[in-house]
């Protein structure tokens, strides 16, 4: 997998993950073209597209489009399930995840993705195992009280 | 699992994010961000040491700002500090920041590497994973240099936790992809292969990914993985649907691992060991069998996972290409999917069948699905599926079905999506050539291509048909007859005129015996198209005419007459003019023998690879052109050479310079071309001449109702004539303009910023209400398409009838993808553009100043400076505004005084202006005096906005 993008229906980028070296300029270009291409697709179209020499796999969940760029040898159908699994993980973590969760807790969305995909390959396919990794991390965090007692600015 | 926000909400961050979300405009957002950046910077610079929480929060805010698309040039150091925090969340944010932003700041790399080293040796699996993920995310060369030796050690160490092994495997995979030379094979390779036997399926999955990547580079080192992979696969495939517990996904046993194992096996040929080979065949058969079983769940996840494994198994079967029974079964399975109700499966089936079509065992089996595929081409709703159907038809085409497939593609072309027309044209052209038994069919096909989709027929295609006709005697007469008939159509595509001109010029004699296509009739037919064609085509036709003089002495007089006419000999285009002059001279001076030698029939083209094929390859990238892969197996048709553009005229022995390109600098070249007639100093008459031509040519367009009119950049053009007027994600509009007296010409450049063609492109200028009578703007019609990345130039001719206030609106309409885009931009044609500067002495100036003393003639404005009050800039602006800057007129040297005349068609209005800066108060006073109150007001409004 070369990249994964989360785009809102309005074309706002909510998350970007690049698994190959890409310049900032090129990233902007990819994001722009993905937005134009994927958002324009009519509902119930096929989830796969060809773009340059990449296979694009995308899927819409509520107001968000999840969009991946694959190389020729990657499996499209299974990538759809990578997206599904990621959404399930977000769901489990946030409890019925919505776009706002990802906006306000963007760093969490990145952390969960890091526990799930590394170098563009799936790290752990068992939902329980990823869940445990996240839970272990949670226990390392300080309590709410500790935070609330600190100044916000 | 706790709901979020319990553990670690950063309230300041949430407040900041919601502030940004509440910003109503981009400006407000930037303002808010700058405020935040200033705040963070002062916190970081402050004397008070920040605690870990605050540091984390600010670093996180910076990250948020960066991800919004703004540049961040500080905070790296603070992020690096967070890496060595003992608190997990702080460390985590530090790593995230570094992963996203590190490449820009490499002097910190040794500090970062140090922190990573510490975490790698911490023996805390959570910290080790963070560090490994960071290495994988950054994946830079420096990272590889520092850790390419360390990561394999962690991967194979006996006491490493499973989760760390998984991370280490994928981390190594990433390093190997970015810096393969730094990942050295060694003692660890053998042990990595044995991870395929690991009890933990997560470890096996990650290891399989790594081994696949490594095996592509050095297959020998990992050969032993084949038997292990087969064994593992066999165990998964034969397991019950819930045996693997966590690794069962919607009733499918370990789909990810299965797919990866099948992928790994595609790095190798079929196993040589009979037992292993048998076991693998068994696995593949089981997977194919399972496809026929009823689904264990109705959920799409179940069928996706199951079919993902199935498609990967089919890929392996195709890769091995050795078991006819499996290949045919695979083909039948795909055939079922071709009619499946899931669009995704139909798409993938078409894709897989493309590769299957190139196997000699299954080519015939694929061909049996031709009707289904043709039907898909006609009935699929989704363009990407239709495109796959075209690909498959192309791949399954051979001599037996070529006529049917080409006919279907041709008829589809009439309704095909614009985005894939060019590709279909190329494919039809290639198939028609490759499988042509008689070349009359080939000629008919190409002419049909031009008829149905002339705009998409690239030069390569029509060059190619000419090459083939020239190289094959038997088809020349037929080609001449067919193009002659095709040209009878009242409206024919310019590409047809090109082909027709060339072929009749070479072989018109072959049909001249028939009185219905006598030389004169042929010539009249060609010449009737001449005036509708572009310059390159006209140039080609002129060459055809001189060839006619050679072929048919009886029409020499008629053609010489045409060449001699003013529209040829004095044509504004140098290329056409040159050809007309030279051909005319040639026909007068040269004897019949010399003429016959110079204009001898074109020699056959050298046989080379088709340039169309090369073009299709460029378009699609490698891997999609299966018919070429098996070229050796199938019969090869003769390939001709490449006719480049210059060969069109080469036998006429006349050097032809390419027509001047119309790029952004085309302004210059256009002028030089036109100046070949009247000199530049008579610019006015030149412009008027051009007008008289264009008024007729300008189509009367009804104004389109559009959304808001963009005018952000409007005021920037008041004092200058060139620049970018408008830009959005798709389109950039640039302007170059020149004005002389009451006339002007504006070159509008429409740049397509995407890689997709704009269709039905139309730009028109609308002058509303009173402006209609005050200003004439004529837009020359422009091409209806703008290629991806290309630029289209449109010329506007402008005439100022009387003084005016409003600005005309440029309406642009085009189709991008499936949607119609409407853009309206205010065109910066302002009254001051028609200024002619007037120099005058101090005495004259004050005398006129007094004469224009009536109250309504003067307009004055006092306003605050918006920009820095730089004298040179101010001078430049006044001159850019169009007035002459008069030095030494005003007794106060810091004041600016200017004079000029506004030219309109009906009157001329003398204007005087005076600008008095007050640097202390940062204010200006601007005074305008002209003989017309409306002009004074308008000029004052325009100019006062500029300082």
């Amino acid at each position: 997998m070369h990249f994964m993008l989360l785009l809102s229906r309005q074309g706002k980028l909510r998350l970007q993950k690049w698994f190959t070296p890409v310049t900032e300029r090129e990233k902007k270009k990819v994001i722009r073209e993905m937005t134009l291409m994927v958002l324009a697709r009519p509902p119930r179209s096929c989830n796969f597209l060809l773009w340059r020499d990449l296979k694009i796999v995308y899927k819409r969940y509520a107001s968000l489009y999840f969009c991946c760029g694959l190389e020729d040898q990657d499996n499209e159908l299974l990538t759809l399930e990578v997206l599904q699994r990621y959404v399930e993980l977000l769901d489990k973590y946030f409890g019925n995840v919505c776009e706002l969760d990802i906006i306000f807790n963007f760093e969490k969305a990145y952390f969960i993705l890091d526990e799930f995909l590394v170098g563009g390959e799936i790290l752990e396919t068992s939902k329980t195992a990823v869940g445990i990794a996240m839970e272990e991390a949670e226990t390392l965090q300080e309590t709410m009280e500790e935070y609330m007692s600190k100044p916000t600015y | 699992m706790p709901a979020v926000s319990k553990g670690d909400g950063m309230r300041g961050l949430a407040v900041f994010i919601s502030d940004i979300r509440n910003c109503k405009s981009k400006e407000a957002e930037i303002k808010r961000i700058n405020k935040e950046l200033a705040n963070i910077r002062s916190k970081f610079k402050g004397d008070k040491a920040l605690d870990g929480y605050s540091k984390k929060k600010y670093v996180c805010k910076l990250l948020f700002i960066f991800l919004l698309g703004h540049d961040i040039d500080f905070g790296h150091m603070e992020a690096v500090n967070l890496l060595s925090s003992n608190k997990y969340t702080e460390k985590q944010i530090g790593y995230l920041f570094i992963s996203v932003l590190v490449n820009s700041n490499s002097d910190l790399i040794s500090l970062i590497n140090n922190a990573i080293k510490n975490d790698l040796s911490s023996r805390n699996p959570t910290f080790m994973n963070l560090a490994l993920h960071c290495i994988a995310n950054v994946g830079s060369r420096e990272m590889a240099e520092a850790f390419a030796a360390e990561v394999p050690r962690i991967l194979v160490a006996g006491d490493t936790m499973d989760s760390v092994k998984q991370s280490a495997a994928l981390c190594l995979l990433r390093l190997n992809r970015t810096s393969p030379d730094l990942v050295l094979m060694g003692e660890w390779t053998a042990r990595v292969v044995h991870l395929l036997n690991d009890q933990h399926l997560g470890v096996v999955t990650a290891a399989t990914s790594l081994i696949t990547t490594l095996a592509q580079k050095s297959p020998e080192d990992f050969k032993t993985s084949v038997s292990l992979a087969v064994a593992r696969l066999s165990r998964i495939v034969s397991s019950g649907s819930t045996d693997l517990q966590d690794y069962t996904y919607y009733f499918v046993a370990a789909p990810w691992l299965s797919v990866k194992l099948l992928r790994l096996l595609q790095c190798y040929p079929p196993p040589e060991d009979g037992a292993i080979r048998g076991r693998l065949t068994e696995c593949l058969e089981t997977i194919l069998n399972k496809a026929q079983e009823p689904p264990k769940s109705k959920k799409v996840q179940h069928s996706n996972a199951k079919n993902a494994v199935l498609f990967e198994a089919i890929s392996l079967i195709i890769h091995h290409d050795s078991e006819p029974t499996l290949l045919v079964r695979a083909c039948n399975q795909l055939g079922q999917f071709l009619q499946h109700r899931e669009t995704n499966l139909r798409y993938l089936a078409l894709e897989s069948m493309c590769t299957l079509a190139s196997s000699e065992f299954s080519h015939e089996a694929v061909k049996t699905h031709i009707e289904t595929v043709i039907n898909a081409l006609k009935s699929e709703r989704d363009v990407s599926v239709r495109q796959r159907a075209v690909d498959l038809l192309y791949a399954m085409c051979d001599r037996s079905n070529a006529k049917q497939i080409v006919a279907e593609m041709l008829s589809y072309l009439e309704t095909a999506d614009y985005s894939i027309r060019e590709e279909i044209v190329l494919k039809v052209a290639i198939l028609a050539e490759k499988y042509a038994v008689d070349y009359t069919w080939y000629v008919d096909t190409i002419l049909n291509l031009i008829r149905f989709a002339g705009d998409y027929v690239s030069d390569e295609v029509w060059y190619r048909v000419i090459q083939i006709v020239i190289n094959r005697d038997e088809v020349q007469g037929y080609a001449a007859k067919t193009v002659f008939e095709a040209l009878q159509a009242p409206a024919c595509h310019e590409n047809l005129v090109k082909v027709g001109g060339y072929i009749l010029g070479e072989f018109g004699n072959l049909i001249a015996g028939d009185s219905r296509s006598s030389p004169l009739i042929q010539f009249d037919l060609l010449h009737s198209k001449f005036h509708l064609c572009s310059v390159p085509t006209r140039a080609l036709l002129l060459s055809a005419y001189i060839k006619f003089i050679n072929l048919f002495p009886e029409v020499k007089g008629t053609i010489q007459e045409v060449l001699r006419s003013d529209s040829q000999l004095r044509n504004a285009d140098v290329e056409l003019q040159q050809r007309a002059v030279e051909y005319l001279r040639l026909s007068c001076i040269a004897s019949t023998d010399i003429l016959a030698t110079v204009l001898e029939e074109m020699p056959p083209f050298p046989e080379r690879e088709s340039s169309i094929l090369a073009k299709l390859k460029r378009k699609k990238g490698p891997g999609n052109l299966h018919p070429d892969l098996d070229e050796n197996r199938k019969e090869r048709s003769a390939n001709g050479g490449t006719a480049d553009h210059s060969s069109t005229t080469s036998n006429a022995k006349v050097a032809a310079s390419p027509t001047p390109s119309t790029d952004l600098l085309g302004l210059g070249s256009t002028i030089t071309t036109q100046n070949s007639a009247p000199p530049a100093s008579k610019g006015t008459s030149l412009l008027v001449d051009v007008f008289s031509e264009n008024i007729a040519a300008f189509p009367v367009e009804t104004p389109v109702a559009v959304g808001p009119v963009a005018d952000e950049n409007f005021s920037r053009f008041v004092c200058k004539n060139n620049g970018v007027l408008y830009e959005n994600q798709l389109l950039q509009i640039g302007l170059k303009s020149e004005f002389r007296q009451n006339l002007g010409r504006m070159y509008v450049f429409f740049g397509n910023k995407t890689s997709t063609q704009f269709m039905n492109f139309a730009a028109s200028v609308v002058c509303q209400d009173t402006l209609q009578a005050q200003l004439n703007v004529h837009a020359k019609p422009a091409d209806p398409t703008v290629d991806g990345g290309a630029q289209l130039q449109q010329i506007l001719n402008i005439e100022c009838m009387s003084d005016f206030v409003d600005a005309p609106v440029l309406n642009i309409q085009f189709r991008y993808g499936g949607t119609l885009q409407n853009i309206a931009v205010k065109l910066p044609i302002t009254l001051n553009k028609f200024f002619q500067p007037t120099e005058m002495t101090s005495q004259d100036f004050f005398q006129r100043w007094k004469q224009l003393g009536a109250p309504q003639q003067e307009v004055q404005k006092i306003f605050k400076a918006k920009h820095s009050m730089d004298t040179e800039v101010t001078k430049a602006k006044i001159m850019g505004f169009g007035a002459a800057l008069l030095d030494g007129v005003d007794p106060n040297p810091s004041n600016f005084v200017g004079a000029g005349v506004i030219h309109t068609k009906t009157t001329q209005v003398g204007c005087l202006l005076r600008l008095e800066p007050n640097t202390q108060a940062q204010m200006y006073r601007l005074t305008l005096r002209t003989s017309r109150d409306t002009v004074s007001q308008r000029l004052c409004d325009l100019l006062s906005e500029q300082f």
Side-chain angles (χ1 to χ4, degrees), chain B residues 28-262:
Chain B
E29 182 184 308
I30 290 171
K31 214 172 147 198
R32 179 68 184 89
I33 283 169
N34 285 337
K35 187 180 150 202
E36 194 62 40
L37 287 175
N39 171 44
I40 298 173
R41 205 177 264 123
S42 75
K43 294 285 189 213
F44 283 167
K45 277 192 186 151
D47 311 328
K48 213 171 66 178
L50 286 177
D51 59 9
Y53 168 79
S54 309
K55 219 183 271 175
K56 173 182 104 171
K57 186 182 68 188
Y58 293 131
V59 167
C60 205
K61 279 182 182 173
L62 287 178
L63 186 59
F64 179 78
I65 293 170
F66 178 79
L67 290 169
L68 273 182
H70 303 268
D71 283 337
I72 294 295
D73 53 4
F74 68 102
H76 300 76
M77 197 58 208
E78 285 72 14
V80 174
N81 285 339
L82 285 177
L83 295 185
S84 37
S85 163
N86 292 326
K87 291 211 172 101
Y88 179 73
T89 49
E90 289 168 16
K91 200 188 264 295
Q92 208 180 15
I93 295 283
Y95 271 123
L96 182 58
F97 185 93
I98 298 297
S99 303
V100 176
L101 266 126
V102 77
N103 3 11
S104 47
N105 209 323
S106 58
D107 42 325
L108 291 172
I109 207 80
S110 62
L111 286 173
I112 296 169
N113 284 353
N114 228 352
I116 292 177
K117 263 191 197 107
N118 285 336
D119 280 335
L120 284 183
S121 52
S122 69
R123 312 195 64 77
N124 173 335
T126 316
F127 288 3
M128 288 174 87
N129 279 340
L130 274 183
L132 288 167
H133 297 169
C134 178
I135 300 172
N137 280 331
V138 176
S140 66
R141 192 131 190 106
E142 289 86 352
M143 287 274 176
E145 274 162 7
F147 299 107
E150 176 69 12
V151 179
R153 261 202 298 282
I154 296 174
L155 175 60
V156 298
D159 57 348
T160 305
M161 302 264 295
D162 287 336
S163 69
V164 179
K165 273 188 196 164
Q166 289 168 264
S167 300
L170 295 186
C171 177
L172 195 55
L173 174 148
R174 172 71 198 264
L175 292 183
N176 182 64
R177 274 194 192 146
T178 44
S179 319
D181 54 312
L182 294 176
V183 178
L184 302 171
M185 300 301 151
E187 178 260 340
W188 58 274
T189 32
R191 299 176 66 180
V192 165
V193 173
H194 280 278
L195 290 178
L196 289 178
N197 273 333
D198 203 283
Q199 293 199 321
H200 191 285
L201 281 193
V203 173
V204 184
T205 311
T208 313
S209 298
L210 173 64
I211 295 168
T212 307
T213 313
L214 295 172
Q216 282 164 350
K217 187 171 81 173
S218 38
E220 273 306 304
D221 287 327
F222 296 90
K223 228 172 148 183
T224 47
S225 64
V226 173
S227 60
L228 295 176
V230 172
R232 193 94 225 188
L233 183 67
S234 164
R235 263 181 285 161
I236 298 171
V237 169
S238 57
S239 69
S241 55
T242 51
D243 291 359
L244 303 171
Q245 289 151 2
D246 266 359
Y247 293 88
T248 301
Y249 181 81
Y250 290 88
F251 304 102
V252 181
W256 276 281
L257 180 53
S258 308
V259 163
K260 283 178 193 297
L261 291 167
L262 289 163

Side-chain angles (χ1 to χ4, degrees), chain A residues 1 12-14 16-22 24 27-29 32-33 36-37 40-41 43-53 55 59 61 71-82 84-85 88 92-95 100-101 103-108 110-111 114-129 131-138 140-144 146-148 150-153, chain B residues 1-15 17-19 21 32 36 39 43 51 53 56-58 60-61 63-64 66-67 69 87-90 92-93 96 126-127 133 136-137 166-167 170-171 173-174 177-178 200 202 205-206 209 216 246-247 249-250 255-256 259-260 263 300-301 304-305 307-309 311-312 343-345 347-348 351 381-385 388 391 620 729-730 753-755 816:
Chain A
M1 192 185 289
K12 292 239 184 210
L13 184 65
R14 296 301 182 206
Q16 48 175 319
K17 189 83 190 172
W18 306 86
F19 300 110
T20 51
V22 190
E24 288 302 320
K27 281 182 190 173
K28 292 212 166 91
K29 209 172 155 204
R32 198 173 56 228
E33 293 195 22
L36 285 171
M37 235 171 57
R41 301 269 297 167
R44 301 180 55 79
S45 299
C46 157
N47 294 90
F48 315 129
L49 295 168
L50 283 179
W51 176 77
R52 299 195 195 165
D53 53 349
K55 303 197 278 197
K59 182 156 184 183
Y61 286 92
E71 44 196 300
D72 196 42
Q73 49 176 286
D74 290 329
N75 190 305
E76 291 106 326
L77 280 176
L78 211 52
T79 305
L80 276 180
E81 296 318 297
V82 167
Q84 168 72 17
R85 201 13 85 90
E88 285 176 8
K92 193 168 174 191
Y93 185 81
F94 289 105
L100 278 179
D101 290 323
I103 296 171
F104 279 96
N105 301 284
F106 69 99
E107 79 282 10
K108 300 287 183 212
Y110 279 96
F111 296 152
D114 272 343
E115 290 295 332
F116 178 54
L117 288 177
V118 172
E121 299 286 335
I122 192 155
L123 176 67
E124 181 52 82
T125 63
S126 148
K127 197 152 106 178
T128 336
I132 289 169
M134 290 305 295
E135 227 162 298
E136 275 171 3
E138 289 286 316
L140 293 169
Q141 295 179 356
E142 299 94 318
T143 61
M144 183 72 166
E146 242 184 285
Y147 279 122
M148 294 312 287
K150 287 173 180 164
T152 49
Y153 262 84
Chain B
M1 171 72 67
V4 79
S5 80
K6 254 192 215 145
D8 64 326
M10 284 180 275
R11 205 154 64 89
L13 177 65
V15 169
I17 294 175
S18 68
D19 277 3
R21 283 172 56 74
R32 179 68 184 89
E36 194 62 40
N39 171 44
K43 294 285 189 213
D51 59 9
Y53 168 79
K56 173 182 104 171
K57 186 182 68 188
Y58 293 131
C60 205
K61 279 182 182 173
L63 186 59
F64 179 78
F66 178 79
L67 290 169
K87 291 211 172 101
Y88 179 73
T89 49
E90 289 168 16
Q92 208 180 15
I93 295 283
L96 182 58
T126 316
F127 288 3
H133 297 169
N137 280 331
Q166 289 168 264
S167 300
L170 295 186
C171 177
L173 174 148
R174 172 71 198 264
R177 274 194 192 146
T178 44
H200 191 285
T205 311
S209 298
Q216 282 164 350
D246 266 359
Y247 293 88
Y249 181 81
Y250 290 88
W256 276 281
V259 163
K260 283 178 193 297
R263 188 76 238 162
V300 67
Q301 286 80 14
N304 278 351
N307 291 325
V309 177
F311 274 106
E312 207 60 56
T343 316
N344 286 345
L345 291 180
Y347 176 96
L348 293 174
E351 184 190 32
R381 291 193 311 134
D382 189 329
V383 56
S384 41
V385 185
R388 283 302 194 187
D391 288 346
K620 292 232 76 172
Q729 290 185 322
L730 305 173
K753 291 166 66 181
T754 72
S755 54
Y816 172 79

Side-chain angles (χ1 to χ4, degrees), chain B residues 463-642:
Chain B
Y463 291 168
R464 190 73 187 150
V465 69
I466 284 170
Q467 285 166 27
I468 286 176
V469 169
I470 285 180
N471 288 12
R472 291 179 190 277
D473 303 344
E474 73 271 19
V475 77
Q476 290 163 355
Y478 180 79
K481 180 168 162 283
T482 319
V483 290
F484 177 78
E485 279 162 9
L487 282 170
Q488 310 278 346
C492 48
H493 195 273
E494 191 163 335
N495 279 335
L496 184 67
V497 180
K498 289 179 185 165
V499 176
Y502 201 99
I503 290 192
L504 291 181
E506 291 287 325
F507 308 113
N509 54 329
L510 300 178
I511 56 168
D514 189 324
S515 60
R516 284 165 300 176
S517 53
S518 70
L520 191 60
I521 293 176
Q522 284 186 42
F523 171 74
D524 285 341
L525 181 61
L526 280 181
H527 198 54
S528 69
K529 315 284 180 193
F530 187 89
H531 302 280
L532 304 170
C533 292
S534 65
V535 168
T537 309
R538 290 187 190 193
L540 187 150
L541 285 178
L542 288 178
S543 298
Y545 297 169
I546 185 73
K547 292 182 200 169
F548 268 37
I549 291 181
N550 175 42
L551 291 177
F552 317 116
E554 64 266 40
V555 293
K556 182 173 174 178
T558 318
I559 293 176
Q560 280 179 333
E561 200 58 33
V562 168
L563 292 177
R564 205 174 282 130
S565 72
D566 274 357
S567 63
Q568 306 295 355
L569 279 189
R570 298 199 174 172
N571 196 296
D573 186 272
V574 275
E575 174 69 30
L576 294 181
Q577 198 183 84
Q578 187 178 357
R579 285 195 191 207
V581 170
E582 289 175 359
Y583 291 163
L584 182 62
R585 290 305 291 161
L586 186 66
S587 70
C588 296
I589 298 170
S591 68
T592 336
D593 285 352
I594 292 177
L595 206 58
T597 315
V598 171
L599 298 168
E600 201 179 342
E601 193 175 300
M602 282 290 279
F605 287 89
E607 304 272 310
R608 258 184 283 155
E609 197 206 2
S610 162
S611 54
I612 310 178
L613 213 52
K615 172 146 183 160
L616 185 62
K617 278 181 193 157
R618 274 204 306 279
K619 231 180 125 48
K620 292 232 76 172
N624 279 307
L625 287 162
H626 308 294
D628 322 330
L629 301 177
D630 54 329
E631 205 110 45
N632 304 331
R633 194 170 51 73
K634 293 185 191 166
E635 61 278 87
R636 255 191 123 138
S637 65
N639 281 325
T642 315

